[in-house]
């Protein structure tokens, strides 16, 4: 259960991309702790796109081992709902701004 003010990170490791999934998950968890987030992992049975899983988890950020763990279209969708952090290379991407939408 999420406590008030507790930031949540959605950990994402694409097993088809990773050569060491357990190591990648450990690195994602380590970065999340260092940044002050509690990690939530996807339900392995889910067929939802990553962006929808992130939204359902009410995550503030998606942390993944490297940029290649999400394709460009899904990354674009994720950045509509959350920030993105990568372990290696160490990168940070702010979610897309919603300023001016709907005018």
């Amino acid at each position: 259960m999420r406590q008030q003010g507790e930031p949540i990170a959605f950990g994402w490791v694409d097993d088809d991309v990773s050569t060491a999934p357990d190591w990648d998950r450990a690195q994602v968890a380590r970065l999340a702790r260092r940044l002050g987030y509690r990690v939530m992992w996807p339900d392995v049975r889910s067929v939802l796109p990553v962006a929808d899983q992130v939204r359902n988890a009410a995550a503030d950020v998606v942390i993944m081992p490297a940029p290649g763990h999400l394709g460009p279209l899904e990354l674009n969708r994720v950045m509509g709902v959350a920030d993105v952090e990568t372990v290696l290379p160490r990168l940070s991407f702010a979610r897309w701004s919603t300023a001016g939408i709907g005018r």
Side-chain angles (χ1 to χ4, degrees):
M1 179 173 269
R2 183 176 182 171
Q3 296 179 13
Q4 185 175 358
E6 181 182 32
I8 294 177
F10 189 83
W12 180 255
V13 176
D14 184 340
D15 289 338
D16 293 334
V17 172
S18 179
T19 57
D22 291 336
W23 173 256
D24 284 343
R25 279 188 260 292
Q27 293 302 304
V28 166
R30 183 168 99 20
L31 179 57
R33 276 193 313 274
R34 192 171 67 196
L35 296 176
Y37 291 98
R38 180 172 64 93
V39 179
M40 292 186 71
W41 296 99
D43 181 347
V44 295
R45 299 166 293 170
S46 179
V47 295
L48 291 174
V50 178
D52 292 336
Q53 293 182 63
V54 171
R55 186 179 299 107
N56 290 344
D60 302 294
V61 64
V62 173
I63 302 178
M64 55 188 174
H69 283 256
L70 281 178
L73 295 177
E74 190 62 20
L75 178 60
N76 183 59
R77 290 188 65 212
V78 165
M79 290 183 65
V81 296
D83 297 338
V84 174
E85 301 278 344
T86 63
V87 175
L88 190 65
R90 183 65 190 93
L91 299 170
S92 299
F93 302 96
R95 74 187 77 195
W96 302 128
S97 173
T98 57
I101 291 180
R103 289 185 178 176

